[in-house]
Amino acid sequence: METVFTKIRAGAIPSAKVYEDEICFVILDINPVNKGHLLIITNEVHPTLADTPDEVLSHLLVIAKKADAKLREVLGCAATNVVINNGEASGQEIPHLHLHIIPRYTDDGKRLTFPKTHYDEGEIVALGKRLEFE
Ligand code: AMP
């Protein structure tokens, strides 16, 4: 399966690559929330979390930790958002798993805007029981 990211990895689409290994590669997002916004992308195409082997997922978080440290060191950002859009309905545009690492600054005016809902009486307990897993 070919995606924008497989084309980038193959060099058919130019990118600013900052890291690569046998499992993933890291590029600068072309439309950053803040400058330095990174994408950690799997080498193999796995559309969503459910399709991605556990060992790949574990590795992605280790690389996210390194990317976070580099952003703080070079840009002086105060924090990062680590985001996975997991499926089209969540806003995922490219069906090829990737983590967004977004540099954040105090009062930078950027927000993850998820308007919140609420539970009716007893609903949170009942739903919690239905969602238990091992
Ligand atoms: P998502 O909505 O989670 O699938 O995110 C896809 C991201 O890929 C978006 O933030 C885009 O800005 C980014 N993107 C799309 N095309 C390119 C490209 N050619 N180079 C770098 N980033 C890209």
Side-chain angles (χ1 to χ4, degrees), residues 77-133:
C77 59
T80 58
N81 286 111
V82 179
V83 175
I84 300 176
N85 294 321
N86 184 37
E88 190 177 356
S90 72
Q92 186 182 12
E93 293 169 6
I94 301 176
H96 179 161
L97 190 79
H98 53 283
L99 274 63
H100 295 256
I101 315 292
I102 304 168
R104 296 298 307 274
Y105 304 87
T106 305
D107 299 327
D108 64 7
K110 308 292 166 79
R111 290 194 66 198
L112 284 175
T113 50
F114 290 116
K116 299 208 173 164
T117 187
H118 69 279
Y119 291 107
D120 294 332
E121 182 79 28
E123 193 180 1
I124 193 168
V125 174
L127 185 57
K129 288 199 189 311
R130 289 175 58 206
L131 292 175
E132 285 176 3
F133 60 90

Side-chain angles (χ1 to χ4, degrees), residues 4-5 8 13 27-31 39 85 91-94 98 100:
V4 170
F5 294 150
I8 286 175
I13 297 175
I27 63 169
L28 286 153
D29 193 304
I30 203 167
N31 292 126
L39 300 174
N85 294 321
Q92 186 182 12
E93 293 169 6
I94 301 176
H98 53 283
H100 295 256

Side-chain angles (χ1 to χ4, degrees), residues 21 45 51 56 74 78 80 122:
D21 63 27
V45 179
D51 309 303
V56 173
V74 173
T80 58

Side-chain angles (χ1 to χ4, degrees), residues 14 50 73:
E73 175 197 328

